[in-house]
């Protein structure tokens, strides 16, 4: 079974600065997908970014980018130019290539300070 | 395009009552997932369907929980009888089966409180 670990329960960052959230996972598979979801106080789960394991290039979506290290099984999320609206829980998730089930990490609570 | 729709958004009920949560998939999607989120256990997958067929219900906590897809775009999650420990936020998510990756899009959730 796959496991996803987010070792930072809480983080804070000053507005306009950059922050990196860590995620590691455990799998014996070679092809899989990784996701970051954001959950603001409204509780809505919002897809932030996704990465296919067979792609070497790190995914980027505007201010959000990932550092995908396949050998190290690491999938960190970098948020540049942090905004107050980025305050949320962030969940890392793993999906294997054989199915469509997501395994979530425990989440990191990010606070962006003015 | 409309996203995943869940109703009700909030539900307060008394122990022993029946609770029905509803979910409408994104148009064109054919996989449906029910999750439960609590502080203690985080996000847990309860059950998922592909093309209206339940594929994995190993996460359903007990016989008091049941889920159905009466048609391709709609699902219900029923708890009967409800208990205080069922209090949680319940999410449904939908995806397009066999798309790669099968990105799941979540609804806004139903916050359930059982007194």
């Amino acid at each position: 079974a796959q496991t996803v670990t987010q070792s930072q329960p809480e983080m804070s960052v000053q507005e306009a600065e950059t922050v990196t959230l860590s995620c590691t996972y455990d799998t014996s598979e070679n092809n899989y997908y990784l996701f970051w979801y954001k959950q603001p106080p409204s509780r809505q789960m919002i897809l932030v970014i996704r990465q296919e394991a067979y792609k070497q290039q790190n995914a980027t979506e505007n201010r959000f980018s990932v550092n995908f290290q396949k050998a190290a099984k690491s999938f960190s999320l970098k948020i540049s130019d942090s905004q107050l609206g980025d305050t949320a829980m962030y969940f890392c998730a793993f999906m294997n290539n054989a199915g469509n089930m997501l395994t979530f990490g425990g989440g990191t609570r990010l606070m962006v300070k003015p | 395009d409309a996203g995943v729709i869940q109703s009700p958004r909030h539900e307060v009920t008394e122990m022993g009552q029946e609770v029905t949560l509803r979910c409408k998939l994104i148009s064109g999607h054919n996989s449906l997932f029910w999750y439960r989120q609590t502080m203690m256990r985080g996000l847990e997958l309860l059950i998922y369907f592909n093309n209206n067929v339940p594929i994995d219900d190993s996460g359903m906590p007990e016989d008091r929980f049941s889920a159905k897809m009466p048609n391709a775009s709609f699902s219900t999650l029923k708890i009967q009888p409800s208990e205080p420990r069922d209090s949680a936020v319940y999410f449904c998510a939908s995806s397009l089966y066999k798309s790669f990756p099968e990105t799941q899009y979540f609804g806004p959730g139903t916050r359930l409180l059982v007194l």
Side-chain angles (χ1 to χ4, degrees):
Chain A
Q2 289 83 18
T3 59
V4 179
T5 303
Q6 294 179 247
S7 59
Q8 305 150 315
E10 294 186 356
M11 294 191 71
S12 63
V13 62
Q14 292 295 131
E15 193 176 7
E17 293 188 348
T18 296
V19 64
T20 299
L21 310 183
S22 301
C23 173
T24 58
Y25 56 93
D26 186 25
T27 184
S28 58
E29 301 192 15
N30 190 47
N31 292 322
Y32 47 86
Y33 305 97
L34 297 161
F35 303 83
W36 278 98
Y37 282 88
K38 168 186 177 181
Q39 187 177 39
S42 67
R43 291 278 190 170
Q44 175 86 48
M45 290 285 286
I46 302 166
L47 177 68
V48 175
I49 199 165
R50 64 188 180 199
Q51 173 83 40
E52 290 91 330
Y54 59 83
K55 288 187 178 179
Q56 293 185 335
Q57 186 173 8
N58 288 325
T60 62
E61 287 287 344
N62 301 314
R63 298 183 295 107
F64 298 88
S65 61
V66 299
N67 183 6
F68 174 48
Q69 301 290 326
K70 191 172 183 180
K73 296 179 183 176
S74 171
F75 183 60
S76 60
L77 175 69
K78 185 172 82 170
I79 306 175
S80 303
D81 186 24
S82 298
Q83 300 176 358
L84 297 178
D86 296 333
T87 292
M89 281 287 286
Y90 287 81
F91 292 95
C92 178
F94 174 99
M95 178 187 292
N96 65 28
N97 198 39
N100 53 358
M101 292 175 62
L102 280 172
T103 301
F104 285 91
T108 296
R109 186 179 302 278
L110 176 67
M111 172 73 72
V112 180
K113 298 179 179 179
Chain B
D1 289 339
V4 174
I5 299 171
Q6 289 187 249
S7 65
R9 295 292 305 277
H10 303 273
E11 178 80 23
V12 181
T13 191
E14 293 187 345
M15 182 174 64
Q17 296 297 306
E18 177 180 295
V19 176
T20 300
L21 310 182
R22 297 174 176 81
C23 175
K24 185 177 187 300
L25 284 67
I26 291 173
S27 178
H29 281 188
N30 51 7
S31 289
L32 182 282
F33 305 80
W34 281 104
Y35 291 89
R36 178 171 67 177
Q37 186 180 34
T38 62
M39 289 292 292
M40 292 295 294
R41 301 174 68 92
L43 272 161
E44 303 174 275
L45 177 65
L46 300 178
I47 185 172
Y48 80 94
F49 297 81
N50 286 341
N51 294 316
N52 298 13
V53 176
I55 303 300
D56 187 335
D57 65 354
S58 60
M60 294 287 262
E62 39 194 281
D63 292 344
R64 298 184 297 106
F65 286 68
S66 63
K68 294 181 180 179
M69 282 198 75
N71 60 55
S73 61
F74 183 74
S75 178
T76 59
L77 177 67
K78 187 174 293 187
I79 308 172
Q80 167 62 22
S82 58
E83 296 182 4
R85 60 193 168 121
D86 302 331
S87 298
V89 180
Y90 291 81
F91 290 99
C92 73
S94 74
S95 69
L96 180 59
Y97 182 51
K98 288 303 184 184
S99 61
F100 295 103
E102 296 183 30
T103 303
Q104 294 181 21
Y105 296 91
F106 283 73
T110 295
R111 187 186 296 267
L112 173 65
L113 177 61
V114 183
L115 302 174

